[in-house]
Every structure is written in structure tokens, then in C-alpha cells.
Amino acid sequence: MDIVSILAESTRSAFGPIAAIYALAAIGLNLHFGYTGLLNFGQVGFMLVGAYGVGISVAVFDLPLPVGFAVGLLCALVLALLLGIPTLRLRADYLAITTIAAAEVIRLVYRAGFAEPLTGGVYGLQNLADGFRVLNPFDGGERYGVGALSYNGNHMWVLVVTWGLVALMCGLVWMLMHSPWGRVIKGIREDEDAVRSLGKNVFAYKMQILVLGGLIGALAGCMLAVYQASIQPDQFKPQVTFFLWVILLLGGAGRVFGPVLGAMAFWFLMNFTDGLLRGMGSMGWFPFLQGPDYGAIQLAFVGVLLVVLIVFRPQGLIGDRKEMLINVK
Amino acid sequence: MSSEATNSSAGVEADRMAGAEPVPGSGKSDPILVADGVRRSFGGLTAVDVEHLEVQRGTITALIGPNGAGKSTLFNLLTGFDRVDRGTWTFEGVGINGRPGHRVARAGMVRTFQLTKALTRMTVLDNMLLGAQGQVGERMAGAFLRNVWAGQERANTRRALELLERFKLIDKRDEMAGALSGGQRKLLEMARALMTDPSMIMLDEPMAGVNPALVQSLLEHITSLRDEGKTVLFVEHDMDVIMGISDWIVVLAQGRVIAEGRPSDIRSNQQVIDAYLGAQEDDSAEARGSGDD
């Protein structure tokens, strides 16, 4: 077992395109939950409609990539309105129930037989990245980076653009949350009746934040389609949403950089525990484990690490402990 | 409360109430709030059924009644926090029935809550600034125009600090509201409501859970609101408090207005004594300890 190469590989994934994509989606979730207190358990649904917006536009209708992004974002806008209009007037738990169900329904519809002419059914869509790679200033065949932290040209391009979007969205979130608008949003998280009694239209604010966070989630989906160059419906299972929640809580909810640090730490941990377990397995420590068992054991291991984190550092990596400890209501 | 306090307020109350008749549903000379046929039932239970109610401008009006009389429900209805089955009411001559809570607040009728709603994980100053109306920066697009809202923010902060000074919370301005004591939260909630610059302020049990030392100071604040020309309508259990500061008292029982009048009228009203005061004497401790309906 080569611990150094496991560490190097884990670090590489912490800065890689997937970590950036999850960071982006978690920024959206942070707007929902971290700042506003909206329980969105269907963030993956926004990623899905974003990814398929790109996929269907590019692969089926042969439209340029920017149109695909626009379609993906538009779908997310519609989805947010559909979810929000009936549930945002109700108690917070209704949104949670609705979002988790809606995300799963959307996945099942997109993979259904009748949708196959558009979505490719269970096989999904392929060849989605050409429009993106045309713009690639890097050479697809070369590797870029230093030492273990190197990526091929195509991935480097996705990585730069996605981390760029992450930086942009962090800036956006920072500006919004340091404005009177952000103050109303945080007020809603604390007690929406109090905010309503001060003359603020709470429903409109919650709708705005649901749309905004959903759009950012869809953007992450678009980048996922571009990064993989293909999409399948079954990669948008509910576990993606739970990974995003873990990322958010790990990094620190209600902090601008919480989702970013969370995503990096999460993917580092995922790859590190995976490498470690497999390394130990290859040395014959776990004779009772078969190949696929490692995945399950690894997830359990990550789960234990997270439990430890929640117990000893409930505010996440960069949350404010003082703020956490104030009894809510 | 001492009898002098009662008498002194009795001396001026006649003037403020401008000779209103002490009968249920009596007309007032200058009503700020007029409600007609307001009814709300939960299942088979009629919680509120008020035929006619007027609140005189510039007075302190108390709403009393035994537990379950529908005081808080009436409050919620009038402020748009609950839906009526039927009924209309006007505020400053404009019909506001059916308006959602935030639009009632914008019209100038602001409320507080029985269970204090301090925004605990925000600073005291941020709590206050939330009360300011018409902020450009509170619109999503406006949030990016720091230059546009910065001036407004400074003016609002100045006003917020003045109010915090008046409510003796100035030293706490940068602390989380969750770190305040129960009484200080009540003060903050009242100051925050004032930040909206209301013409009428509705206080739902402002003394509940406040230590006796702070009650006097809260009472002074309420009286000073009236003296500034604001109208106060409040729900309260403590009879001493009510008799001491109210200009007018409305008694609810089983959702209906059973009596109205000056403290002296109410004190001698046999119906009220039967419905409320008798019970109050017996289990006043319980009434104070357990919230409301």
C-alpha cells in the first residue's frame, strides 16, 4: 500500500472537476438551507434538469451549447416555481417532502420508455462536450498541473471554468448576503412570522431564493454534462442530494465558503478512505470482502467520520460555533 | 397597582375617549380601527364572533378575557395572520380585511407576538434594521446597488440606534438577539415594531414572562407610545397592569365582546366579574404562568 500515492490521488480529486461541480450545487443548497432554512432534499432534481437541458439541446436538436445552458436554466426556473408555489406558503417540512419526491419523479420520467426519443431513456445521451471543447485553450492530449495535481487538457478546461463559476457564485452570495436583502433572508431563517409582521413579503423572498439556488444547482448539472460528455438518468439518484447535504454540513452551512471547503474535504475523504480500504484489502487484511463490498464499507466509514464531525464540530469546518449554540426558538 | 395610578389615568381618559358609551360595540368619535361581523370558527367551535368593534385613535385599548376567549385569534385575524370566515374591517378608513400580514404591517398596523419572536441568530441591530420600510436594498436587484442603499442604510441605522437608546438596549446592539434575556427580547420586539413607524401597534401579552422589575419600564414605554400619538391595542392577563394604563377596555368571552368601557366601568360590570374577574382572582397565578388560548 502506497499511502503517499493515495494521499496524492485524494488531493487531486479535492481540486478536480467533480469537487467543483458538487461545490457549485452545494452553493445553491446553501442558499436554500444555510441562509433561508428551506429544506430542499431534491437539489439533484435541479442538477438533472440542467444536465438534460444541455443534453437534449445538444444531442437531440443539435443546438449550440449556450442554448443548452439556457434551456437547462429555464427548466430549473420552471421546476422551482412548480415546487415553490404550492409549498412555500406551508410549513417547512412540506417543501422537504415535495422536493425529495419531485426529484425522484423527474428521474423516473426522464428514464422512462416514452421519453426515450428525447432523453435516450436509461442509456442517456452522449457526445455533449464538443461545443465546450472547441473553446478549450488547453490541448486535450496534454497534461497540465504540478506533480500529482495534474489533469488532462479537457478536464483542466472544465476544472478552470467550473471553479471560475464557483468563485463567481461565492461573490454573488457574498454580495447578496451582505445586503439588506440578505438580512431579510436570514430573518426568514430565524422566524418567518416575525419578518412578515415587519412588512416583508416572505413568500416572495422564499420564491426568489428557491429559484436562485435551483438555478445554481442546474448550472452544476450543465457542467456535469459537459465534463462527462454524456449523461445517464441513474447518476441523479437521491444519494447525490445527500452527498450535497453532507458537503454543506461538513463545510459549514450559512457561510459563503462552507460549500466550497465542504466539497473539497468530502471528495478528499471519499477517495482517501476508498484508497485506504482497497490498499489494506490488497494486503490481505479483509479476506471476507469481495470487490463491490469495498464501496459499501467505504460509505459506512465516511458516515462514521461524519458522525464524529457532527459530535465534535457541529458547525462544520468554518461555521460559527457561537451562532450554532444559540438555541433556536 | 396603587389606586392613585388608576385615578390619575381615569382623570384623563374621559378626554381621550371623547365620551364614548361603555356598551359593547359602542361608536367612537375618531376610530382608527373599525371591525364588523368578524367571525372565525375552528371546526364546530366559534373562536371569534365580534359584531362591531371600534378602537379610538391615540388611546391604549386593552383586550381582556378568560383563557380561550379568542383574544389572540382576534389579534391574528385583524393583523392578517389568520383568515376570517367572514367579516370586514377598516384601518384608517381603508378596508384591510383579507390582506396578508405583511401588507397589514405596511399599512401601519404592526404587531408583536405572545411568544417573543426575536431573530435569535442575528444581532440586535440587524433585528432593528429589518423593521425599516421601503428599503431599496431589500429588493433582489437592489441588493447589488450598494451605492444606492448605503445612504438609506445609514439613516436607518441612526434611527435604530436612537430607538435602542430609548429602550436601553444600546449596549447590546452587536450581540446576538438570542443572548438577550426574556424581558430584553420583549423590549427589542417592541423597538423593532416601532422601527416600521406604525400608527397602531398591537401587543400580544407584552408582559408575559417578564420579570416584575422590568414590567414597570415596559409600562412606561407603552404609555409613551400613546403620548406620541400612536394607538396601542394590547392583550394582557395581569389585571393590575390593565386597570393602571388602559384608556379603554374591551372584554371578550367565548369570542364575543361582552363589555366595553373605562377601567372604572369594567371594574363594576357584573357580567365581566362573572366571566372573568372572579376566575382571575381564583387562579391568577395559573393564568399568568400558562400562556393564552
Side-chain angles (χ1 to χ4, degrees):
Chain A
M1 183 172 65
D2 181 0
I3 192 81
V4 176
S5 76
I6 294 173
L7 277 173
E9 186 52 36
S10 309
T11 311
R12 207 172 81 86
S13 69
F15 290 94
I18 285 288
I21 287 165
Y22 274 75
L24 203 52
I27 289 173
L29 191 61
N30 193 25
L31 283 176
H32 292 156
F33 176 72
Y35 289 108
T36 326
L38 297 181
L39 289 169
N40 172 11
F41 285 121
Q43 184 70 345
V44 70
F46 288 107
M47 293 176 74
L48 187 150
V49 296
Y52 271 88
V54 169
I56 294 172
S57 305
V58 171
V60 180
F61 294 105
D62 220 7
L63 294 165
L65 191 66
V67 177
F69 272 70
V71 169
L73 294 176
L74 197 69
C75 290
L77 173 72
V78 173
L79 177 60
L81 292 175
L82 284 176
L83 288 172
I85 288 170
T87 57
L88 286 183
R89 289 181 202 279
L90 306 174
R91 258 193 355 243
D93 15 2
Y94 291 92
L95 181 71
I97 298 164
T98 312
T99 46
I100 192 167
E104 195 58 359
V105 167
I106 292 169
R107 181 178 71 86
L108 293 172
V109 168
Y110 273 63
R111 83 195 286 281
F114 64 81
E116 209 171 310
L118 269 185
T119 63
V122 285
Y123 306 108
L125 300 162
Q126 289 77 36
N127 297 327
L128 309 177
D130 295 346
F132 189 71
R133 289 183 184 160
V134 168
L135 304 170
N136 190 354
F138 302 102
D139 181 350
E142 292 276 323
R143 285 192 82 79
Y144 295 85
V146 268
L149 270 183
S150 74
Y151 306 87
N152 77 38
N154 286 330
H155 289 177
M156 192 69 195
W157 179 218
V158 175
L159 186 153
V160 167
V161 171
T162 316
W163 282 120
L165 285 172
V166 168
L168 199 68
M169 291 306 145
C170 283
L172 182 93
V173 170
W174 191 91
M175 277 184 80
L176 280 173
M177 289 308 152
H178 287 81
S179 75
W181 186 85
R183 189 163 59 216
V184 178
I185 289 294
K186 284 184 237 168
I188 291 172
R189 175 186 69 188
E190 299 306 310
D191 194 315
E192 60 179 83
D193 272 345
V195 175
R196 196 173 284 126
S197 79
L198 298 172
K200 319 295 174 194
N201 185 351
V202 169
F203 176 73
Y205 281 98
K206 291 208 284 191
M207 201 69 230
Q208 288 173 358
I209 208 91
L210 186 67
V211 168
L212 184 63
L215 289 178
I216 297 175
L219 199 56
C222 294
M223 291 315 298
L224 188 69
V226 164
Y227 166 61
Q228 298 176 341
S230 71
I231 43 175
Q232 292 80 38
D234 289 345
Q235 65 184 128
F236 298 99
K237 284 190 173 167
Q239 71 195 46
V240 177
T241 301
F242 299 136
F243 284 171
L244 292 172
W245 274 89
V246 168
I247 285 170
L248 184 60
L249 298 178
L250 183 62
R255 301 273 134 186
V256 173
F257 291 107
V260 181
L261 278 180
M264 295 172 79
F266 177 77
W267 284 107
F268 179 88
L269 274 180
M270 284 290 272
N271 285 287
F272 182 70
T273 50
D274 185 59
L276 202 64
L277 283 173
R278 281 178 201 284
M280 292 197 280
S282 68
M283 295 182 342
W285 288 20
F286 309 123
F288 46 88
L289 287 185
Q290 306 288 313
D293 298 341
Y294 284 103
I297 296 284
Q298 178 231 358
L299 279 182
F301 192 50
V302 171
V304 170
L305 281 178
L306 285 167
V307 169
V308 172
L309 180 100
I310 300 285
V311 169
F312 291 103
R313 209 175 158 76
Q315 72 273 38
L317 292 173
I318 56 168
D320 184 343
R321 189 169 178 86
K322 207 174 75 190
E323 206 178 283
M324 270 297 293
L325 290 177
I326 286 177
N327 198 7
V328 185
K329 286 184 197 170
Chain B
M1 181 134 307
S2 63
S3 59
E4 304 92 70
T6 316
N7 290 339
S8 69
S9 80
V12 281
E13 80 196 15
D15 168 39
R16 281 196 202 94
M17 294 311 300
E21 284 291 310
V23 292
S26 76
K28 311 291 187 302
S29 58
D30 181 18
I32 188 169
L33 178 72
V34 181
D36 273 298
V38 176
R39 198 185 155 95
R40 174 74 163 111
S41 48
F42 299 104
L45 175 84
T46 305
V48 169
D49 187 6
V50 172
E51 271 174 34
H52 189 78
L53 179 66
E54 295 186 8
V55 176
Q56 173 82 347
R57 186 189 309 276
T59 61
I60 298 177
T61 303
L63 198 56
I64 66 170
N67 286 337
K71 307 181 295 289
S72 285
T73 309
L74 181 60
F75 241 62
N76 287 341
L77 293 173
L78 294 177
T79 52
F81 278 73
D82 192 0
R83 257 172 233 250
V84 276
D85 299 335
R86 59 179 175 77
T88 55
W89 57 101
T90 61
F91 176 66
E92 309 229 61
V94 183
I96 57 164
N97 43 294
R99 281 199 197 179
H102 67 272
R103 290 189 52 213
V104 172
R106 283 181 203 169
M109 186 159 107
V110 67
R111 69 166 299 175
T112 65
F113 295 87
Q114 182 186 343
L115 299 168
T116 322
K117 292 184 184 297
L119 305 167
T120 47
R121 288 187 292 170
M122 295 171 77
T123 63
V124 168
L125 184 58
D126 274 350
N127 262 272
M128 292 297 290
L129 289 171
L130 258 183
Q133 300 296 297
Q135 298 187 50
V136 181
E138 284 190 352
R139 275 182 245 133
M140 199 182 199
F144 295 102
L145 310 171
R146 186 174 285 267
N147 295 335
V148 180
W149 55 256
Q152 218 179 8
E153 187 83 349
R154 270 194 300 278
N156 287 337
T157 308
R158 221 174 3 255
R159 207 154 67 80
L161 292 177
E162 280 168 20
L163 279 169
L164 287 177
E165 184 86 60
R166 170 173 159 194
F167 283 84
K168 301 192 176 61
L169 290 169
I170 192 79
D171 299 332
K172 307 271 181 191
R173 65 189 157 204
D174 295 322
E175 278 186 39
M176 292 284 168
L180 299 183
S181 72
Q184 287 170 328
R185 288 186 201 196
K186 288 274 180 201
L187 287 173
L188 173 62
E189 202 183 24
M190 210 184 282
R192 191 176 64 192
L194 279 185
M195 197 64 196
T196 66
D197 202 12
S199 44
M200 180 165 179
I201 178 160
M202 319 265 284
L203 305 170
D204 198 350
E205 297 204 24
M207 312 300 166
V210 174
N211 88 51
L214 210 58
V215 165
Q216 198 53 43
S217 130
L218 267 167
L219 289 177
E220 281 161 19
H221 284 303
I222 294 174
T223 326
S224 73
L225 292 180
R226 177 195 54 199
D227 296 343
E228 285 166 20
K230 299 196 190 302
T231 310
V232 179
L233 179 67
F234 77 115
V235 169
E236 189 49 64
H237 270 303
D238 190 324
M239 288 312 283
D240 289 340
V241 164
I242 293 163
M243 293 297 172
I245 71 164
S246 309
D247 299 309
W248 194 257
I249 296 176
V250 176
V251 188
L252 278 183
Q254 292 169 334
R256 295 168 181 276
V257 178
I258 59 161
E260 265 191 60
R262 298 172 184 81
S264 48
D265 303 324
I266 297 301
R267 208 189 295 274
S268 56
N269 185 314
Q270 193 55 45
Q271 230 183 330
V272 177
I273 294 168
D274 290 347
Y276 186 79
L277 292 181
Q280 172 76 15
E281 292 304 322
D282 292 340
D283 52 28
S284 60
E286 186 194 61
R288 260 175 245 177
S290 70
D292 190 26
D293 29 337

